[in-house]
Amino acid sequence: MNTNYILPFLWMRGESEDVIREEMGKIYDCGIRAVCVEARPHPEFAGPGWWHDLDIVMDEARNREMRVWVLDDAHFPTGYANGFIKDKYPSRKKVYINYNTADVWGAKDEVTLHISRMLKPTSSWLDMGKPKDTEEQKNNQLVVVVAMELVSKGLLSEQFINLSDQVSDGFLTCKLPEGNWRIYVIYKTRTDGGNPTYINMLDKESAATQLEAVYEPHYERYGADFGKTFAGFFSDEPSFGNVNGFDFNETIGQKDMPLPWSDEAESMLQQALGDQWYAYLPYLWADTIEMKQSIHVRYSYMDIVTKLYEKNFSRQLGEWCEANQVEYIGHVIEDNNQHSRLGSGAGHYFRAMAGQHMAGIDVIGGQIIFGGAGLERVGITKGDGEFYHYALGKLGSSCGHLDPKKQGRTMCELYGAYGWKLGVRDMKYILDHLVVRGVNYLVPHAFSMRDYPDVDCPPHFYAGGNNPQFRHFAYLMRYANRLCHIFNGGTHIAPTAVLYHGESEWTGRYMKMQEPARELTENQIDFDFVPADMLHALDSYNGKVDQHELKINGEVFRCLIIPYSQYVTKELALFMMKNQELEIIFVDGHPEGISNERNDQRAAELLAAIKTRSVISLSQLADELKAKHIYDICLNNSFKDLTYYHYFKDNHRFMFQNESAYETFRGEIELPIEGAAIIYYGLEDRYERLRTRKEAQKIVIELELQPYESCVILECTEEQASKYDYYIPHSDKLAACSSQIDLSANWGYALVHNKAYPHFGEVQRLETLVPISRDNPTFTGIVRYEKAFDLAEAPTTRAIIAFESIYEGAELWINGEYVGMKVCPSYTFEVERFVKKGINSIRIEVATTLDRDRLLYPEPPFTITHDAMDPTGMFGAITLFLE
């Protein structure tokens, strides 16, 4: 039985054998039984040095019964094909269509255009000195010349004149009707877009270069291990790449840019648009007065290129892996809604994932922030906090839940590029945030073997022995494996489905899916995002509509929620017409058009049919669903920061997380189960019995969660529950204590850097606890605090010691006995078994992050964000509660 759900990145740079074996051992010591080796920094990927180093990793993995995944390229992002496009197959480079224009004002007489000069981008003095592939530009090919009438404010009429047949010897000579005209010269090119050394995702032969360059050489060397020690390949952020950079704004029709192209795309577009397909191409860039044909053309283009990405790249790689007994995983760029865009995106999240055996996302660079739900992020670019907090995790897990190929599995790359400030305190929050949204495989970023400090996308978990929190990280990873095991191999239960907004963005005004997602999340109504593709191919996803319910791959939804979309597809409209018994709610308005139906009468009929469905404002959505009894759990008092996840595997199981930075949740929760229930604390691997009250076919429990806290509730029998002590909320335990002892003053402390642990320095005294960083602002390592206290009587029932502020990892000893570890608030320990009458000694060791250590080193070559530094050490009130 699989009990490992963690495969951290192991960066390979050509280190010595001893260093590689040591790092593999440290990963193993964390309870982790897999690695994903990253070649990006290695100087000889798929060459002799690479094979030498990977042989060592494979040997360690075989001996330790671990599994190995390989990031599938020499450079980031996936698609470089280890340089084969540049060095071996230049004919397989990306192809684009691009355009130039010439305006003709007050057309009256014959005009001439030099078309040959218009088959390349315009340039100015600002472009002088920039590299150009002038030889390749000579191969650019004219596709069409079209004149469109300028009407007002840059808008065009959808009446066009095809002038292509009037081009001769590189010149166009024509006479246009009276008026103002814009002539579009559209051409095919290999030079105008993104990185020319990358594969063309729309071309099967070009995409297959990835297999030849990376996958097949690894099979040749490790074929006997495939499906055993060698687990598979990981694609990291493959994309269309039709432009360079990460602007996250490459929505079709909204940005001037060259567009991905291939012969197959051309053939499919001709089939979709008819014999005059090429004359419609200006609509891919130009807005029109009518916005009718342009909507259809944009939808058709995006539909075609995303399906080709799916077929020629994602599925081709996935099918190769299946044929060779390994799996294909990874993620695309989802950031800032890029999951449905071109550029660094893949155009349609679910189609991009189609060939993978797990769904995948990443959470890096400060995308999920404790206490920052829904707020704008500022880093390399400004980030949509509402997307990151309310949609990203659910986007991944929805694909994992609903696509049978994924077997319920969703992977997340996490922690990378947060900086050295990220420690176990917030790592635990991010981990819980993802699991409570359905993520159940983790790729922590990263283990780096470069000499400390490695400035490349920290934190690094071991950091050559320098990271003071490495023991705490190992503790957290064991928790992560236990938690992910609970939520693997079963079925997610949610009452609602929310339509994925990808196709809506391609065509007109739309509401982002995270807006209803936020409303549902803050009212404890769970959901999955469902793409339209699944709705009109339910058989392919083990799905059907039955007895007023939408069933997909074992999940059962009682309602389909459609965020406002100016246009919907005819397939979606037909699905709604066919399934009248299914509850369907439009949020904030009905659609106004059908994006891929060119027949006006048929489009009007479809719109009339779906406008019988109800419209609910976003602000009233949750109340309307509750009024219709479309919910799963119910709180007696609202608390918007309580998130939950309902799962069934042999029994019902629920995860709850308090995502508030300040407020404690305390209240009753109605659960849709009838038996007994126990609460599981994953960090301590500990169970308690819950008191329950039966109401109809449900039970009511009482729960208290402080900020940073989470728990799992498990349905069980009375006999099973009777094995455990009853759960008592933490505040009730404190309230029951009859006396308190203030331990806040007069502590001794000593410091040590992690590599010198446990050889602490000289003991110093603190009458009043203050952060160590006040007097020692650059210290990072372990702070050991000690003191003695006198207890007149041993506690008869309970003793709790509570520390107000600790940054961050803490281990406690009382009277020389180890009490336990904490990696995040609340820093409270139950110590009745350890304290005694008379003199007691207490020792607590606090591990900092490495954040302040950066003050001792030169400024790194790049700075993604500027973060406030946390204090270090232990301070505030320390209280012993006695009952």
Side-chain angles (χ1 to χ4, degrees), residues 721-738:
S722 66
K723 299 176 184 178
Y724 304 106
D725 294 335
Y726 274 108
Y727 162 78
I728 302 173
H730 179 69
S731 59
D732 289 358
K733 291 179 181 179
L734 296 182
C737 292
S738 55

Side-chain angles (χ1 to χ4, degrees), residues 40 55 62 116 140 169 174 205-206 224 342 358 372 396 474 495 530 579 632 672 767 783 798 848:
R40 174 166 65 86
D55 284 350
R62 292 186 199 101
S116 297
N140 291 354
D169 296 327
C174 66
E205 182 183 46
S206 182
L342 298 172
M358 298 183 196
V530 177
N579 298 289
D632 187 36
E767 178 59 32
V783 188
R798 181 176 285 110
T848 75

Side-chain angles (χ1 to χ4, degrees), residues 424-724:
V424 289
R425 177 188 184 106
D426 284 347
M427 284 182 186
K428 197 268 185 181
Y429 164 74
I430 294 168
L431 166 63
D432 285 347
H433 171 98
L434 293 167
V435 176
V436 82
R437 286 160 173 79
V439 172
N440 53 14
Y441 275 78
L442 306 171
V443 181
H445 180 308
F447 280 88
S448 172
M449 296 178 281
R450 176 182 280 176
D451 289 344
Y452 173 81
D454 183 356
V455 299
D456 193 347
C457 298
H460 305 297
F461 309 125
Y462 181 56
N466 287 278
N467 195 331
Q469 294 187 359
F470 181 66
R471 294 189 308 280
H472 308 80
F473 175 78
Y475 180 74
L476 183 65
M477 291 300 98
R478 292 187 179 93
Y479 162 71
N481 259 330
R482 291 192 293 268
L483 193 61
C484 289
H485 184 71
I486 291 171
F487 297 108
N488 256 284
T491 302
H492 172 228
I493 296 175
T496 64
V498 176
L499 185 71
Y500 174 65
H501 77 228
E503 291 90 337
S504 299
E505 181 173 355
W506 303 343
T507 52
R509 298 187 306 275
Y510 70 102
M511 174 185 287
K512 293 184 177 71
M513 60 191 180
Q514 51 262 41
E515 295 185 51
R518 179 174 191 165
E519 182 73 10
L520 298 174
T521 300
E522 292 183 343
N523 286 277
Q524 292 77 44
I525 300 174
D526 202 5
F527 60 92
D528 272 330
F529 294 120
V530 177
D533 287 352
M534 289 186 184
L535 298 177
H536 57 79
L538 283 173
D539 289 347
S540 299
Y541 297 92
N542 302 323
K544 59 181 178 179
V545 175
D546 182 42
Q547 296 182 345
H548 307 281
E549 294 173 330
L550 172 61
K551 300 179 180 179
I552 306 177
N553 199 36
E555 295 216 29
V556 180
F557 306 108
R558 287 178 276 158
C559 178
L560 173 63
I561 297 166
I562 302 179
Y564 172 72
S565 178
Q566 188 178 5
Y567 298 91
V568 296
T569 65
K570 62 183 176 184
E571 290 82 7
L572 180 59
L574 289 169
F575 171 84
M576 288 186 273
M577 291 175 64
K578 178 182 177 182
N579 298 289
Q580 293 292 328
E581 73 274 23
L582 177 65
E583 182 78 40
I584 296 176
I585 295 175
F586 286 98
V587 181
D588 278 4
H590 286 120
E592 301 165 30
I594 306 297
S595 55
N596 57 341
E597 177 55 70
R598 301 176 77 181
N599 182 293
D600 290 345
Q601 181 177 347
R602 182 58 178 153
E605 292 170 355
L606 292 171
L607 284 173
I610 62 179
K611 284 186 177 179
T612 61
R613 300 291 189 165
S614 60
V615 173
I616 303 296
S617 68
L618 179 63
S619 62
Q620 296 299 312
L621 178 60
D623 289 341
E624 179 71 14
L625 292 171
K626 289 178 180 179
K628 294 176 179 289
H629 301 285
I630 301 175
Y631 59 88
D632 187 36
I633 71 164
C634 186
L635 310 187
N636 67 331
N637 293 310
S638 63
F639 193 90
K640 68 181 180 64
D641 293 314
L642 184 72
T643 47
Y644 89 99
Y645 186 62
H646 184 183
Y647 202 73
F648 185 85
K649 183 175 73 172
D650 303 325
N651 63 351
H652 290 274
R653 44 196 69 183
F654 304 83
M655 182 175 176
F656 290 95
Q657 181 188 18
N658 180 3
E659 301 202 41
S660 171
Y662 307 107
E663 294 183 63
T664 294
F665 169 76
R666 175 72 182 264
E668 290 188 337
I669 306 175
E670 179 186 271
L671 300 178
I673 59 176
E674 296 187 61
I678 54 178
I679 184 170
Y680 176 63
Y681 301 96
L683 277 171
E684 296 88 7
D685 198 17
R686 178 171 58 87
Y687 298 87
E688 289 178 336
R689 180 179 184 177
L690 286 166
R691 290 179 170 84
T692 63
R693 184 176 75 249
K694 292 187 177 180
E695 292 187 359
Q697 276 79 49
K698 300 182 179 183
I699 66 168
V700 177
I701 64 168
E702 185 177 29
L703 187 64
E704 179 178 274
L705 291 174
Q706 298 180 65
Y708 280 102
E709 284 194 318
S710 64
C711 69
V712 175
I713 308 296
L714 301 168
E715 178 189 36
C716 64
T717 65
E718 288 290 342
E719 181 181 0
Q720 291 169 323
S722 66
K723 299 176 184 178
Y724 304 106

Side-chain angles (χ1 to χ4, degrees), residues 85-302:
I85 297 295
K86 177 181 66 172
D87 299 332
K88 188 175 181 180
Y89 298 117
S91 63
R92 298 181 184 180
K93 288 195 297 186
K94 296 181 199 173
V95 181
Y96 316 94
I97 54 170
N98 204 1
Y99 76 99
N100 273 306
T101 63
D103 291 334
V104 179
W105 308 105
K108 182 178 180 182
D109 298 318
E110 181 178 276
V111 295
T112 297
L113 277 178
H114 194 169
I115 298 297
S116 297
R117 290 187 177 180
M118 298 180 72
L119 302 184
K120 59 185 178 183
T122 57
S123 59
S124 73
W125 62 91
L126 298 175
D127 300 302
M128 294 180 66
K130 294 182 179 178
K132 296 179 185 178
D133 191 345
T134 54
E135 286 303 309
E136 181 61 48
Q137 283 182 343
K138 294 176 183 178
N139 298 319
N140 291 354
Q141 299 174 23
L142 178 66
V143 176
V144 70
V145 180
V146 178
M148 302 179 68
E149 188 174 11
L150 275 164
V151 181
S152 66
K153 296 181 180 178
L155 295 177
L156 305 166
S157 167
E158 289 191 352
Q159 299 298 317
F160 62 84
I161 302 173
N162 187 350
L163 302 172
S164 303
D165 60 357
Q166 299 182 52
V167 177
S168 177
D169 296 327
F171 288 86
L172 166 70
T173 300
C174 66
K175 183 176 181 180
L176 296 169
E178 290 184 1
N180 300 311
W181 296 86
R182 179 159 292 164
I183 298 176
Y184 281 80
V185 177
I186 297 175
Y187 60 95
K188 187 161 59 173
T189 177
R190 293 182 184 273
T191 65
D192 293 9
N195 193 323
T197 64
Y198 271 65
I199 61 175
N200 184 355
M201 297 295 182
L202 308 189
D203 183 86
K204 183 176 182 180
E205 182 183 46
S206 182
T209 311
Q210 193 76 28
L211 297 173
E212 179 184 348
V214 178
Y215 290 55
E216 291 169 3
H218 283 82
Y219 180 76
E220 183 178 345
R221 191 170 187 90
Y222 303 113
D225 291 295
F226 268 41
K228 302 169 188 173
T229 302
F230 198 105
F233 295 91
F234 184 113
S235 278
D236 193 19
E237 301 185 354
S239 66
F240 285 112
N242 54 300
V243 295
N244 290 314
F246 301 93
D247 292 338
F248 304 141
N249 62 358
E250 291 85 8
T251 300
I252 187 70
Q254 303 301 309
K255 181 174 183 174
D256 266 344
M257 55 185 169
L259 298 176
W261 198 250
S262 70
D263 290 344
E264 191 174 7
E266 182 174 313
S267 176
M268 293 174 68
L269 200 61
Q270 179 177 357
Q271 186 175 359
L273 302 180
D275 291 340
Q276 289 287 310
W277 65 273
Y278 46 84
Y280 298 125
L281 292 179
Y283 300 145
L284 294 173
W285 296 277
D287 284 343
T288 65
I289 288 288
E290 300 90 342
M291 290 304 289
K292 181 180 175 184
Q293 293 285 3
S294 57
I295 297 302
H296 179 61
V297 172
R298 290 176 188 178
Y299 172 82
S300 298
Y301 171 80
M302 287 299 296

